[in-house]
Amino acid sequence: MFTRIRKDIDGIFQRDPAAKNVLEVVLCYPGLHAVWLHRIAHALYTRGWVILPRLISNFTRFMTGIEIHPGAKIGEGLFIDHGTGVVIGETAEIGDNVTIYQGVTLGGTGKEKGKRHPTVGDNVVIATGAKVLGSFKIGYNAKIGAGSVVLKDVPPNSTVVGIPGQVVSKQTKKVNSISQGVNLDHNNLPDPVKETLLGMQSNIVMLERRIAELEEAANMGA
């Protein structure tokens, strides 16, 4: 238990430059409080309790602004930064060293039974306001851009942006543990709309040049 607590605290120091000391992290980080309270609720939930785990979840939401269903499975080193508005559904599964920013939803898409929430791999970063909806997998080391709506599988080592979310880049480098560093650089993501517009602009310039050449040739022939 103490080893896991230590990993939770170390994960915050690794990924949050605002963290000054252990006492500050333990007392003032609502994301950490939400994870710790969830572990208590989850332990009770897996033993067949229902009401008490849900009460703990509701208390956690009231205190931290973070709602985690007691049934959700969470690995080590989850860092919920700020956290207000974060919602994690009942059948969601989160791997190790995952980073989630405020306003993120790991939710379902309807009233289906069974597995209906996403499975998030190790070292994933989910940026502010992203919505990940459905029972699919987010591969390890993936990055979800701010405000994205993800509705299908995300390959490992890839970056997803947009509504609906589209894979805009893939990398081959794999990060195996937090000691190697989780890539938090989610503010410099590709812009597929901009790239499409630039491509269209380039084609328009090429067509205008070709039309000018044809007109010049026609004038010379006349």
Side-chain angles (χ1 to χ4, degrees), residues 38 42 45 68-74 88-94 106-109 112-120 134-136:
H38 169 73
H42 182 70
Y45 192 81
I68 308 176
H69 192 285
K73 299 178 181 178
I74 295 178
I88 300 175
E90 178 186 12
T91 60
E93 299 178 39
I94 299 176
L106 303 182
T109 56
E112 67 273 17
K113 301 292 184 180
K115 184 77 168 77
R116 58 192 184 277
H117 299 100
T119 297
V120 180
S135 58
F136 51 84

Side-chain angles (χ1 to χ4, degrees), residues 9 12-13 16 18-36 63-66 79-84:
I9 295 172
I12 291 174
F13 280 108
D16 186 4
K20 300 298 189 297
N21 55 65
V22 172
L23 186 61
E24 178 202 14
V25 169
V26 170
L27 296 179
C28 303
Y29 273 65
L32 184 63
H33 303 157
V35 170
W36 285 350
M63 293 298 295
T64 67
I66 299 167
F79 176 37
I80 303 177
D81 193 8
H82 297 289
T84 301

Side-chain angles (χ1 to χ4, degrees), residues 40-200:
I40 298 171
H42 182 70
L44 295 171
Y45 192 81
T46 56
R47 287 166 174 76
W49 295 61
V50 177
I51 301 300
L52 183 56
R54 292 303 300 270
L55 288 174
I56 295 173
S57 175
N58 287 344
F59 172 77
T60 302
R61 179 179 60 183
F62 174 76
M63 293 298 295
T64 67
I66 299 167
E67 181 175 350
I68 308 176
H69 192 285
K73 299 178 181 178
I74 295 178
E76 297 178 349
L78 171 64
F79 176 37
I80 303 177
D81 193 8
H82 297 289
T84 301
V86 168
V87 177
I88 300 175
E90 178 186 12
T91 60
E93 299 178 39
I94 299 176
D96 296 336
N97 307 325
V98 171
T99 304
I100 295 176
Y101 290 86
Q102 63 269 27
V104 166
T105 298
L106 303 182
T109 56
K111 296 182 179 179
E112 67 273 17
K113 301 292 184 180
K115 184 77 168 77
R116 58 192 184 277
H117 299 100
T119 297
V120 180
D122 297 345
N123 306 314
V124 169
V125 176
I126 307 178
T128 304
K131 312 301 176 186
V132 184
L133 308 175
S135 58
F136 51 84
K137 294 183 178 180
I138 306 295
Y140 57 80
N141 303 336
K143 290 192 291 185
I144 311 298
S148 300
V149 178
V150 184
L151 303 172
K152 59 184 180 181
D153 285 346
V154 175
N157 300 299
S158 61
T159 299
V160 172
V161 300
I163 303 175
Q166 301 293 328
V167 176
V168 293
S169 69
K170 293 183 181 179
Q171 298 177 348
T172 57
K173 182 180 178 181
K174 179 178 178 180
V175 179
N176 294 314
S177 68
I178 194 169
S179 62
Q180 293 176 269
V182 177
N183 184 359
L184 299 178
D185 185 21
H186 61 278
N187 61 314
N188 295 316
L189 301 181
D191 185 345
V193 175
K194 178 181 177 181
E195 292 173 0
T196 300
L197 292 174
L198 289 175
M200 293 175 61

